[in-house]
Amino acid sequence: WIDASGIKAPCSHPATEISHGNLETSAWQFDNQNVAANQESVSWRIAPPYDMDRSEEVKIRVGWSSASTGNVKWQLEYRWLSEDEDTTQGAEETLTVVDAASTTANGLIITDITGIDPPSSTDASIIFKLTRLSADAQDTISDTVELHGVCFNYKSNKLGEPI
């Protein structure tokens, strides 16, 4: 689990970091933007875990909520990087998913994004960029959406590697 406080928004159209709920935990708030060029994003980078089976695809689980009902459309861009590889490249793949908000106001929803290619034997990190496609007709939440964190799910096939 990568908490919202471990995710950043250095993008040209960043989501807004907020204090969420009575316990005042960090969350990223994505506004409902009517113009596609104004849609908001966050990004993060992680290293593949040592015990990861590099022959299996991974899954990102997005934890989010909204005070309103409707559907949200998420776009996930990613790039695996090996040593000496250009770190300024664009995404190697872009995935989208639509999911419904909870019928409970601010109820937690976990949305699975699948189809992420497994890393090569030399990949040392992966960069992600998550965007709310609020200008898309499939995104029907006319309110903000709050991102609480993401989970990087993978299949393990060993206990790790010696350091």
Side-chain angles (χ1 to χ4, degrees):
W1 179 258
I2 302 168
D3 189 67
S5 61
I7 298 170
K8 300 298 176 198
C11 316
S12 57
H13 296 284
T16 303
E17 189 172 15
I18 63 165
S19 173
H20 183 78
N22 290 334
L23 297 177
E24 300 179 345
T25 58
S26 289
W28 287 100
Q29 188 173 71
F30 292 77
D31 287 328
N32 181 28
Q33 300 286 345
N34 292 324
V35 178
N38 294 340
Q39 296 173 129
E40 298 170 335
S41 300
V42 296
S43 58
W44 66 97
R45 177 193 314 250
I46 61 171
Y50 289 115
D51 65 343
M52 180 178 183
D53 182 345
R54 289 178 176 248
S55 67
E56 298 284 333
E57 72 175 41
V58 298
K59 173 173 50 177
I60 291 294
R61 305 189 80 208
V62 178
W64 63 278
S65 66
S66 181
S68 299
T69 58
N71 294 329
V72 68
K73 185 169 187 178
W74 295 110
Q75 174 181 282
L76 183 72
E77 300 170 84
Y78 72 91
R79 171 158 294 282
W80 287 104
L81 292 169
S82 297
E83 285 190 53
D84 294 323
E85 194 170 348
D86 181 356
T87 59
T88 64
Q89 298 178 71
E92 66 187 68
E93 188 172 23
T94 301
L95 305 167
T96 59
V97 65
V98 177
D99 203 0
S102 174
T103 55
T104 301
N106 298 306
L108 181 65
I109 295 293
I110 304 295
T111 299
D112 291 344
I113 302 178
T114 59
I116 299 169
D117 294 334
S120 74
S121 62
T122 62
D123 284 330
S125 71
I126 185 169
I127 300 170
F128 292 100
K129 181 178 179 184
L130 182 69
T131 304
R132 178 187 175 194
L133 298 180
S134 57
D136 190 283
Q138 291 180 299
D139 188 308
T140 59
I141 297 175
S142 59
D143 198 353
T144 62
V145 171
E146 286 70 41
L147 173 69
H148 302 284
V150 295
C151 191
F152 182 82
N153 286 148
Y154 63 95
K155 184 176 181 179
S156 174
N157 66 348
K158 54 190 159 291
L159 294 175
E161 296 177 355
I163 296 177

